Amino acid sequence: MNVLAIGAHFDDVELGCGGSLARHIANNDTVYIYVATDSAYGTYGGNEIRSGETARREGQRSAGLLGAHLICGTQSTFMLAFNEETDAAIVKIVEEKKIDCVYIHWSGDVHHDHFHLAKAAMHATRHIPRVLMYRSNWYVSDEAFRTDFYVDISETWEMKKRMIMCHESECSRVGNTWIDYFDREALNNGLKVGVERAEGFQTVKWLI
């Protein structure tokens, strides 16, 4: 199976579905990761927090650790839109790589890059039979993330953790909060479905 994980920024995919992607790799599926922006950003005062070069280097390290193929977009952080440019970039990958399964941002996410990319991805993957939405942060939204699909990541949590830690610039900024939050989430999901750890998704469609 050819799998595509779509993220607005370097680190989104690892946080939202890294354990599931590691399972795909273990099952000999081919995994592609598309990051739509250069992921550079700074303060409102103009001070740099993360450069595009740093973000890309960390993303390459993470994808290499996983064994996935990384595809880097060129749009600017905070400037993603649900438009032809964003849509066409995804369609090109889907068609060229003959994608069978896609992981995308949750369409209820309050981060506008995540929200707009989710809408574009749903449109661009409308002919793909398996599409799941993931959460890559804990921001509160006025919509509910309806977890209705679970993947057992008991054996792949450590890989997910190592992939997240490849993003050293962000991990140093947030401390252990990413690891702590997503570990607890995986443990809680696991309790719900009877395994040690699980990633939870909201289904767009899943053809059997």
Side-chain angles (χ1 to χ4, degrees):
M1 186 158 61
N2 295 325
V3 178
L4 174 63
I6 300 171
H9 317 105
F10 293 104
D11 63 44
D12 285 336
V13 163
E14 289 87 338
L15 295 170
C17 58
S20 299
L21 296 183
R23 281 196 57 140
H24 281 292
I25 292 291
N27 290 334
N28 294 316
D29 294 333
T30 301
V31 174
Y32 299 91
I33 297 173
Y34 172 57
V35 180
T37 74
D38 61 10
S39 303
Y41 74 103
T43 66
Y44 289 112
N47 296 318
E48 183 179 79
I49 296 175
R50 177 170 68 170
S51 70
E53 293 78 10
T54 295
R56 184 178 184 128
R57 184 173 62 251
E58 292 172 348
Q60 289 171 332
R61 187 180 306 136
S62 174
L65 180 65
L66 176 64
H69 304 275
L70 181 63
I71 303 170
C72 301
T74 59
Q75 297 198 57
S76 298
T77 309
F78 306 129
M79 299 299 290
L80 274 178
F82 179 15
N83 59 19
E84 181 61 22
E85 179 184 3
T86 307
D87 189 88
I90 299 170
V91 170
K92 184 175 185 289
I93 298 168
V94 166
E95 292 181 348
E96 288 184 352
K97 307 303 182 184
K98 303 185 186 306
I99 299 300
D100 305 297
C101 174
V102 184
Y103 294 86
I104 69 175
H105 281 288
W106 173 45
S107 60
D109 198 309
V110 296
H111 191 305
H112 50 276
D113 278 353
H114 297 180
F115 169 80
H116 287 138
L117 188 60
K119 292 297 185 182
M122 279 194 283
H123 181 255
T125 63
R126 60 194 180 278
H127 300 305
I128 303 302
R130 289 172 286 274
V131 180
L132 298 173
M133 292 193 290
Y134 65 83
R135 290 190 67 179
S136 57
N137 58 46
W138 50 76
Y139 304 150
V140 176
S141 172
D142 60 350
E143 295 184 35
F145 183 75
R146 300 185 303 275
T147 307
D148 56 14
F149 193 104
Y150 295 86
V151 175
D152 183 355
I153 63 165
S154 304
E155 301 299 323
T156 57
W157 161 252
E158 287 302 322
M159 173 58 76
K160 173 171 178 162
K161 180 178 177 180
R162 290 172 63 196
M163 290 165 62
I164 293 171
M165 293 177 68
C166 284
H167 298 277
E168 295 175 0
S169 61
E170 289 294 272
C171 286
S172 64
R173 180 179 64 85
V174 302
N176 291 323
T177 54
W178 276 0
I179 301 299
D180 290 346
Y181 179 86
F182 285 98
D183 189 22
R184 289 172 183 154
E185 184 175 64
L187 289 167
N188 288 337
N189 285 333
L191 284 172
K192 296 173 187 176
V193 293
V195 298
E196 183 181 351
R197 287 181 174 86
E199 284 178 335
F201 301 93
Q202 183 171 317
T203 307
V204 177
K205 52 185 170 177
W206 190 268
L207 177 66
I208 298 175

